[in-house]
């Protein structure tokens, strides 16, 4: 048993070793994945860093990062390597969040992140101690962190058009250098206390908010010189606003103010001016005739207030180009006057469409240039139609203006004298008119007194009549009143009786309702008891049924147990028999156990060896891991090379596609040309076929003509010595050849002549023959001309000759025994063609007779006086002519 325990322990140890190795491998794989991910991140950060470095510029000695209209939803951490940046200008890049590492840019002076989608300001922004300008307009910021108060150098803060900021932390009052604050287009209901306690604040914009009232402590902002409160719901101003001595610009347009408060009259820096705007078109003749437009601003109350603008035609052209005007110089004054009239008409409205605005670059208007702007307002944007820069008048211009005023005053004195004369005339005229009027009045008074007396008399008579009628009506009403009082008494008595009966009935009703409620409660309690009793009865019946079933089950179990006892007795007997057999088997198993223990000892020795092998494998694994890391570096480099090769492959594939397209176009052109050539060749073939047919017809005609000529000559030569041809059946022919020479097996064998062969251009007739006919071949020599025919396929060089009378015509036979050469046509030329023209009088036996093909000589056809009769067949060359023997 101890040996078995040792073997199982060794197996468990091996398992643990392998599990540890597997865990280590998994951990190494995870580390490799993390390492690859880190490499990818590092590569991405490097790429983004190179892009950011391209956006860095230098202006006025500042290192500026400028990005506009690109997609940078988040800024990478590699930006920390550009810690020398002094200004960020990131506009319209879709930035969702200011990075948390913003506090590390200690050199940052200006941070402009306007027109993005930033929803939160990180707390790390408080580490920017050198920050002077923070511009976060047109974003989605809801709250401002108190850590912003640690930016001690902050001078300008813009949080306009965020639409959700409603308050500022109190700690922002510690910004001792903040002079410019823009909080327009948000949801402020009051000016925050932190703003009121900012000591250096000079410019504040709280326009387009929900301000209803200004705080009484607004006088704390003593350094404030510009306050914008347009487009709010302000109904009144606090009296303490008069103590703001430096306030020079206060904008309260589009509010609910009805009057300007009296307290503002005490403010010396604020003044209400009635400015006069005059437009003149002056013509100047020296040195050249030209016209100048003079625009002048003056104040009737202040003669030293003077602003001038002189526009020549050349200046107007530059103004027209700069501001995109569509009007000429001559039409400009009238159009400008029309714009001014529209501004005056719209001034009285709650929301004016056109505004005339005079803006100065400095707090005081007297000595600084001013801009006269004509602005059209709409809910989307304020459009500036015209902007003119007016310069304050110098001493010479003011003196000229005052001299003009004095001239005007002299003319005014003359006009005053004329006015005095007119007043005297008017006084005399009024005296005469008053006398006439007094006389008319006295006459009218007398008439009125007479009419008054008459009306009084009529009034007294009407009064007496009315008094009599009034007394009669009073008596009638008193009688009615007494009747109504009696009826009222009866009704009150009835009412009291009805009230008493109602009270009694109510008391009875309440008692009956109480009894009813008690009865209902009793009924409910009885129903509940009944339901409980029914449930108990049902449960008892269930219990009885269960007990009955248990009794039946127990009886059945007793029967089953009796049967089991019998079976156990039988099983016991069999088990004893098996016990004896098992004891015998146990002895045998002990012998086998001894053998197994010996094998286990050998296995333990092998396991020790396996442990040593495992240690060696671990060392190999470490070396493999080092190689793997090297392979990873190599694979990364190979991937880069593969990417470059893929780009080259893509370029080559594009070139291949272009070449393929050009080849396809060329193939199409070649195919079109070949098709055209094919069509031309087909047409030529058809023409050549037609020519061949015509030639064949010509040859047949020529053969016929030749045959007829030969027959005529033959008849002329023979004369009366020749016997007329004996015409027998269609299978017989008259010939000079013996009947036995050409008859084989009852059939006539014809000589190998060219009679039955289809006529074609390949045959030719010759006048001379190379082989003379020997005497052996002649049977009956005659003095007349001899004609001998042999069939031979002529060569293309042979020509057609003339056949003359008196000459012998011979053609070589198919075989010439003397020369040993094959003469005549081969068997392939004797086959019938589909397009051949058959000749008259030839049968198929000519080509199918084997003896005829073997016969190499052709006998001479001679004319003789002894005609012999043979089976006659019509010949193509000699129709109706029989050969003579």
């Amino acid at each position: 048993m101890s040996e078995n325990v040792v073997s199982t322990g060794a197996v468990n140890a091996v398992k643990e070793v392998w599990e540890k190795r597997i865990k280590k491998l998994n951990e190494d794989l995870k580390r490799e994945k993390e390492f690859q991910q880190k490499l990818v991140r590092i590569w991405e950060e490097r790429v983004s860093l190179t892009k950011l470095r391209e956006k860095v510029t230098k202006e006025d000695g500042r290192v500026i990062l400028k990005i506009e209209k690109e997609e940078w939803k988040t800024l990478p951490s590699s930006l920390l390597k550009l810690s020398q940046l002094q200004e960020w200008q990131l506009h319209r890049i879709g930035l969702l969040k200011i990075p948390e590492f913003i506090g590390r840019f200690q050199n940052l002076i200006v941070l402009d992140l306007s027109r993005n989608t930033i929803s939160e300001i990180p707390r790390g922004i408080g580490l920017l101690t050198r920050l002077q300008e923070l511009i976060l307009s047109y974003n989605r910021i809801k709250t401002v962190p108190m850590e912003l108060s640690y930016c001690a150098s902050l001078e300008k803060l813009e949080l306009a058009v965020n639409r959700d900021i409603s308050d500022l932390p109190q700690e922002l009052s510690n910004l001792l250098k903040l002079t410019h604050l823009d909080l327009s287009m948000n949801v402020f209901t009051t000016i925050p206390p932190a703003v009121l306690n900012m000591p250096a604040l000079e410019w504040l914009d709280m326009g387009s908010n929900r301000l209803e009232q200004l705080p009484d402590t607004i006088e704390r902002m003593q350094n404030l010189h510009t306050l914008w409160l347009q487009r709010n719901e302000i109904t009144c101003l606090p009296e303490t606003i008069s103590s703001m001595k430096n306030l020079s610009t206060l904008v309260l347009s589009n509010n609910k103010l009805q009057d300007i408060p009296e307290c503002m009259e005490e403010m010396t820096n604020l003044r209400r001016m009635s400015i006069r705007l005059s437009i003149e078109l002056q013509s100047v003749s020296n040195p050249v005739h030209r016209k100048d437009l003079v625009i002048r601003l003056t104040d009737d109350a202040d003669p030293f207030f003077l602003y001038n603008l002189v526009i020549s035609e050349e200046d107007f052209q530059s103004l027209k180009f700069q501001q995109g005007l569509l009007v000429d110089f001559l039409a400009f004054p009238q159009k400008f006057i029309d714009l001014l009239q529209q501004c005056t008409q719209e001034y009285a409205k709650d929301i004016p469409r056109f505004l005339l605005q005079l803006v100065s670059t400095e707090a005081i208007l007297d000595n600084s240039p001013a801009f006269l702007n004509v602005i059209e307002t709409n809910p989307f944007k304020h459009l500036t139609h015209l902007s003119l820069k007016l310069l304050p008048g110098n001493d010479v211009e003011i003196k000229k203006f005052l001299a003009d005023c004095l001239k005007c005053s002299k003319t005014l004195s003359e006009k005053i004298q004329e006015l005095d004369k007119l007043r005297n005339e008017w006084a005399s005229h009024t005296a005469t008119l008053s006398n006439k009027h007094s006389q008319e009045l006295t006459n009218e008074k007398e008439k009125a007194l007479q009419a008054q007396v008459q009306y009084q008399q009529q009034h007294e008579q009407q009064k007496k009549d009315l008094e009599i009628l009034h007394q009669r009506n009073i008596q009638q009403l008193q009688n009615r009143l007494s009747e109504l009082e009696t009826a009222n008494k009866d009704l009150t008595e009835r009412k009291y009786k009805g009230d008493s009966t109602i009270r009694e009935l109510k008391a009875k009703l309440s008692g009956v309702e109480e009894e009813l409620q008690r009865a209902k409660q009793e009924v409910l309690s009885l129903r509940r008891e009944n339901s409980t009793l029914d449930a108990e009865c049902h449960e008892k019946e269930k219990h009885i049924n269960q007990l009955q079933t248990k009794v039946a089950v127990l009886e059945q179990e007793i029967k089953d147990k009796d049967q089991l006892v019998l079976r156990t007795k039988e099983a016991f007997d069999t088990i004893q028999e098996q016990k004896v057999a098992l004891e015998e088997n146990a002895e045998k198993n002990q012998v086998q156990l001894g053998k197994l223990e010996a094998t286990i000892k050998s296995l333990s020795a092998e396991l020790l060896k396996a442990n040593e092998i495992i240690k060696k494998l671990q060392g190999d694994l470490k070396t493999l891991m080092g190689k793997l890391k090297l392979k990873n570096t190599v694979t990364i480099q190979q991937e880069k090379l593969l990417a470059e090769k893929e780009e080259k492959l893509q370029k080559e594939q594009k070139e291949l596609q272009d070449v393929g397209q050009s080849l396809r176009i060329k193939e199409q052109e070649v195919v079109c040309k070949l098709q055209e050539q094919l069509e031309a060749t087909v047409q030529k073939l058809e023409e050549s076929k037609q020519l061949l047919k015509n030639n064949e017809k010509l040859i047949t005609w020529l053969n016929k003509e030749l045959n007829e000529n030969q027959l005529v000559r033959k008849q002329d030569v023979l004369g009366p010595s020749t016997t007329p041809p004996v015409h027998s059946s269609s299978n017989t022919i008259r010939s000079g050849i013996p009947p036995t020479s050409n008859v084989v097996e009852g059939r006539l064998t014809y000589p190998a002549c060219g009679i039955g062969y289809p006529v074609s251009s390949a045959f030719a007739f010759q006048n001379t023959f190379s082989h003379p006919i020997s005497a052996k071949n002649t049977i009956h020599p005659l003095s007349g001309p001899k004609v001998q025919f042999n069939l031979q396929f002529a060569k293309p060089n042979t020509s057609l000759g003339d056949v003359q009378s008196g000459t012998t015509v011979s053609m070589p036979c198919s075989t010439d025994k003397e020369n040993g050469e094959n003469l005549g046509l081969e068997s392939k030329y004797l086959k019938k063609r589909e397009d051949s023209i058959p000749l008259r009088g030839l049968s198929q036996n000519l080509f199918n007779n084997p003896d005829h093909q073997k016969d190499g000589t052709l006998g001479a056809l001679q004319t003789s006086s002894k005609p012999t009769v043979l089976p006659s067949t019509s010949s193509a060359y000699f129709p109706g002519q029989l050969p003579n023997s």
Side-chain angles (χ1 to χ4, degrees), residues 128-145:
L128 302 175
T129 54
R130 295 183 182 178
L131 188 66
Q132 295 178 4
E133 294 183 10
L134 178 61
I135 302 170
L136 296 172
S137 302
Y138 293 91
N139 279 287
R140 298 176 183 176
I141 298 167
K142 295 181 179 179
T143 56
V144 180

Side-chain angles (χ1 to χ4, degrees), residues 45-99:
E45 286 179 356
R46 285 180 180 176
V47 171
S48 59
L49 184 62
T50 54
K51 287 182 180 178
L52 290 170
R53 280 177 177 166
E54 291 175 358
K55 305 292 181 182
V56 176
T57 58
K58 280 189 177 183
E59 292 180 7
D60 299 331
R62 285 187 182 180
V63 183
I64 302 172
L65 175 65
K66 271 190 180 182
I67 305 175
E68 288 187 3
K69 296 180 181 179
E70 294 182 6
E71 286 191 4
W72 291 81
K73 292 184 178 180
T74 56
L75 295 174
S77 58
S78 58
L79 187 61
L80 288 168
K81 294 181 181 179
L82 302 175
S83 58
Q84 74 276 12
L85 291 173
Q86 294 176 324
E87 188 172 342
W88 286 12
Q89 292 184 7
L90 310 180
H91 305 276
R92 300 177 189 274
I93 63 170
L95 190 65
L96 298 171
K97 187 179 179 183
I98 301 172

Side-chain angles (χ1 to χ4, degrees), residues 572-594:
F572 183 72
D573 296 333
T574 55
I575 286 163
Q576 283 181 349
E577 293 174 358
Q578 289 176 359
K579 185 179 179 184
V580 175
L582 287 168
E583 287 175 353
E584 293 175 356
N585 289 325
E587 291 175 356
K588 293 178 182 179
N589 287 327
Q590 283 179 357
V591 175
Q592 289 178 357
L593 272 171

